[in-house]
Amino acid sequence: MSDADHCDIPAGPVANLAKIRDALDKAMAHNNGVSPPITITAVSKKHGPDRILPLLEAGHRDFGENRVQEALGKWPALKARYGDVELRLIGPLQSNKVRDAVGLFDVIETVDRPKIARLLAEEMRLQNRRVALLVQVNTGEEPQKAGMAPGDVDAFINLCKDQYGLTIDGLMCIPPADQAPAPHFALLAKIAARNGLETLSMGMSADYETAVQLGATHIRVGTQLFGARPDSP
Ligand SMILES: *Cc1c(COP(=O)(O)O)cnc(C)c1O
């Protein structure tokens, strides 16, 4: 068979990961300064262990899920087998899921209100477990979207520290779907810089190259790694 015969065969997640790393290298080559290493969070929501295992076997350890309940169904067993997995919650966190979230996730990227911060602080004390925390910023100030308004972030970070003894490690955003992402990434980077935060989770399948050029340290990639998501988990 010629190479052309293979064109329609979808590559697996492991091959796709290598392609994304290449694309990142190319995107970063245009940056003149020294760049920090970029973590690729494999967004495995709605994909079962059969799709996740090849990446784990290949040594990939950073994964993201957007629902606590769904993650509870598949990750405890995988984490027992691959101890150094770093599992990140990238979807909204409800108060009644805080206990489970603190028990399962290593990073929660979607802290966006004082009540959740207070509950996270309490639960981390109870479980004697430290989970890294990012504040989700609603850079487009979209009413239907989770995240804190950009103007409230500085005060919220101080509140987390002074009131709840919580360290915030960075920021996360999901730009509006119908706008160019670059200004949103730039805004997130600016808020992070003035608060001395190093972790910037921004960029998804469609825009991660732009995101890393604007300072992303973590990108969240689902579709480009796994292909289209099935309708249900
Ligand atoms: C689903 C999801 C992603 C991955 O999106 P793709 O376009 O499939 O790469 C990234 N971030 C969040 C918060 C998500 O919910």
Side-chain angles (χ1 to χ4, degrees):
M1 277 198 288
S2 72
D3 280 351
D5 292 321
H6 294 281
C7 282
D8 292 339
I9 300 170
V14 175
N16 291 339
L17 185 64
K19 282 188 206 152
I20 293 164
R21 289 218 174 280
D22 279 351
L24 283 179
D25 286 345
K26 286 208 185 75
M28 299 303 273
H30 298 290
N31 287 12
N32 288 322
V34 183
S35 312
I38 310 290
T39 300
I40 301 172
T41 297
V43 179
S44 47
K45 63 189 185 196
K46 299 202 173 179
H47 294 293
D50 56 315
R51 304 285 288 149
I52 298 170
L53 277 166
L55 281 176
L56 285 166
E57 281 297 314
H60 193 74
R61 290 296 180 264
D62 298 278
F63 292 85
E65 291 281 345
N66 70 332
R67 301 178 67 119
V68 176
Q69 205 61 35
E70 182 188 334
L72 277 173
K74 57 186 166 183
W75 279 101
L78 293 171
K79 283 188 109 184
R81 212 168 132 192
Y82 302 89
D84 49 350
V85 161
E86 184 115 316
L87 190 62
R88 315 176 72 95
L89 178 64
I90 60 171
L93 178 57
Q94 267 96 49
S95 352
N96 63 353
K97 293 288 193 327
V98 167
R99 180 168 306 162
D100 286 337
V102 168
L104 179 66
F105 288 92
D106 304 287
V107 184
I108 294 175
E109 300 201 358
T110 49
V111 182
D112 66 354
R113 56 197 190 278
K115 183 183 179 192
I116 284 292
R118 175 172 60 77
L119 293 173
L120 283 167
E122 285 170 13
E123 201 53 47
M124 284 197 258
R125 255 192 304 275
L126 280 173
Q127 299 190 27
N128 192 23
R129 188 175 146 73
R130 155 131 170 90
V131 175
L133 304 175
L134 310 188
V135 172
Q136 181 176 358
V137 184
N138 187 355
T139 56
E141 307 203 45
E142 298 172 279
Q144 83 286 3
K145 194 168 269 176
M148 174 158 277
D152 295 338
V153 176
D154 298 9
F156 180 62
I157 290 169
N158 288 328
L159 176 87
C160 284
K161 184 164 54 167
D162 300 341
Q163 197 81 20
Y164 308 125
L166 286 179
T167 302
I168 297 296
D169 301 283
L171 305 177
M172 175 270 214
C173 77
I174 310 170
D178 59 350
Q179 290 179 27
H184 296 274
F185 296 152
L187 174 60
L188 198 73
K190 192 172 129 192
I191 300 171
R194 72 174 180 238
N195 285 285
L197 302 176
E198 286 181 358
T199 301
L200 271 181
S201 170
M202 57 190 198
M204 320 200 319
S205 288
D207 53 21
Y208 62 79
E209 284 135 313
T210 306
V212 297
Q213 286 168 354
L214 290 164
T217 59
H218 292 66
I219 60 170
R220 309 179 306 268
V221 184
T223 310
Q224 266 210 31
L225 262 181
F226 294 105
R229 282 180 281 278
D231 280 338
S232 54

